[in-house]
Amino acid sequence: MDRRRALSLVKTFLTGFDKPLALIVFLLFATGIVALYSASVDVPGRVEDQLRNILLSYVVMWIIAYLPTQTLMRAAVPLYTVGVALLIAVAMFGLIRKGARRWLYVGMVIQPSELMKIAMPLMLAWYFQKREGTLRWFDFIVATVLLGIPVGLIAKQPDLGTALLVLAAGLYVIYFAGLSWKIILPVMAIAITLITALVTFEHDMCAPGVNWPVLHDYQQHRVCTLLDPTTDPLGKGFHTIQSTIAIGSGGTLGKGWLKGTQTHLEFIPEKHTDFIFAVYSEEFGLVGNAVLLILYLLLIFRGLYIAANAPTHFSRLLAGAVTLIFFTYAFVNMGMVSGILPIVGVPLPLISYGGTALVTLGMGIGILMSISRQKRLIQT
């Protein structure tokens, strides 16, 4: 009888989970633990801490998976309002660490910008749900303002990586809501033109004494170092040079688990967080990278499938945006570690060591599972 009751409890626990999505997430977590063990073999307790973070992430995931989408929609405005208020509080009297004002003490130290990664798509999905059927061009301006406020506050901290992730999360919702290609294509053309000009005139634009508008000096330095890491091989360029050496030295099959020389001779900086992809690539090579990419593609395809079959406009927009957030995380991290994007401090999703980011991603997975569960309930 006790055994039946235990099986019943396990079945009840798993009812809210989308099984294919849960399996993909589990495999990514397992891959992350393997890579983290190698990256942290000389730091006792780090793997145990990550297992605790994963457990917390699963708890958050499970709780949100059981929340009806109506509850998520009702939480959109309060979460966004609280998030913006906390960002304003950070700007006024936040804690300063390593030259950045990103944290707030409220009985414990928190980083409010992490909340906006989920609050932003929730808010915009709620807004477009309310405007469904009466959508006009003015609504996209309102959505842009709602997006611009937190992005501006986060960029001012400064935290370019998080600002880009929040910006991407909001833009995905705006795109899925029906933003015209007449607006998207000119913006893309301008971006391509600016990147081409930067690459072409890199020597002149990165010359000493040339200051770029908008970007801080350290951000300008990161972009210039990306274009030519050898200009600062022992400073900002060190990260890019060492990570690309590690990735290239992995070859086809890799050097083997725990056998990465760049990793264990301490050439790779931040090897357990932002640069864990370099650790993984060195030890598992091109084949291991292909497996990791397949797992991320499966995660994205499953998320988009859930979005396409979502029962409401709100849940479709939200599921689509949350799914592409995972794509953005993975693309930006792999790009910066591979030397094709500036280093902006974005972790590899579900792989890198960390607590806050992992819980935030767990919330995102929970939202996808909630939407999938709601669809199944309607069908039954």
Side-chain angles (χ1 to χ4, degrees), residues 87 102 111-117 154 157 159 162 166:
L87 288 175
R102 302 175 185 173
Q111 189 175 353
S113 57
E114 287 292 329
L115 175 64
M116 295 309 301
K117 294 177 184 177
I154 295 170
Q157 291 177 355
D159 188 354
T162 303
V166 174

Side-chain angles (χ1 to χ4, degrees), residues 54-263:
I54 290 173
L55 179 60
L56 178 59
S57 178
Y58 262 111
V59 171
V60 171
M61 192 188 308
W62 179 76
I63 292 172
I64 295 180
Y66 275 91
L67 293 179
T69 52
Q70 294 85 352
T71 302
L72 295 175
M73 190 160 63
R74 286 195 296 269
V77 176
L79 273 178
Y80 176 84
T81 304
V82 169
V84 171
L86 289 174
L87 288 175
I88 293 172
V90 168
M92 294 175 63
F93 41 81
L95 302 177
I96 299 177
R97 296 178 178 176
K98 297 181 180 180
R101 191 189 297 270
R102 302 175 185 173
W103 297 270
L104 193 65
Y105 183 76
V106 288
M108 62 178 181
V109 178
I110 62 171
Q111 189 175 353
S113 57
E114 287 292 329
L115 175 64
M116 295 309 301
K117 294 177 184 177
I118 297 297
M120 192 72 255
L122 269 173
M123 179 65 191
L124 292 183
W126 171 87
Y127 177 77
F128 284 115
Q129 167 74 18
K130 295 296 182 183
R131 304 300 297 168
E132 185 181 16
T134 59
L135 197 62
R136 299 176 301 166
W137 64 268
F138 180 74
D139 294 310
F140 290 101
I141 295 179
V142 173
T144 302
V145 172
L146 290 172
L147 175 59
I149 293 171
V151 169
L153 289 170
I154 295 170
K156 185 177 174 57
Q157 291 177 355
D159 188 354
L160 183 59
T162 303
L164 289 175
L165 291 173
V166 174
L167 176 64
L171 289 177
Y172 290 141
V173 179
I174 294 173
Y175 168 72
F176 286 128
L179 184 65
S180 173
W181 279 98
K182 294 179 180 179
I183 298 175
I184 297 173
L185 289 177
V187 172
M188 292 178 61
I190 292 171
I192 292 171
T193 301
L194 290 175
I195 293 172
T196 303
L198 177 60
V199 173
T200 304
F201 302 104
E202 175 264 334
H203 180 74
D204 295 324
M205 296 182 69
C206 293
V210 177
N211 295 318
W212 300 356
V214 182
L215 294 183
H216 292 270
D217 290 341
Y218 82 92
Q219 293 169 342
Q220 177 181 338
H221 190 198
R222 282 181 178 179
V223 176
C224 290
T225 304
L226 167 71
L227 296 173
D228 186 5
T230 60
T231 58
D232 190 10
L234 298 179
K236 296 296 183 182
F238 182 81
H239 296 64
T240 302
I241 292 171
Q242 298 304 323
S243 63
T244 52
I245 289 174
I247 293 172
S249 65
T252 303
L253 299 176
K255 296 177 179 177
W257 189 45
L258 303 177
K259 296 180 180 179
T261 53
Q262 291 291 111
T263 300

Side-chain angles (χ1 to χ4, degrees), residues 1-16 62 66:
M1 190 68 179
D2 291 339
R3 185 178 179 182
R4 290 181 180 178
R5 185 176 298 176
L7 290 173
S8 177
L9 287 173
V10 171
K11 186 177 180 180
T12 301
F13 178 83
L14 296 175
T15 301
W62 179 76
Y66 275 91

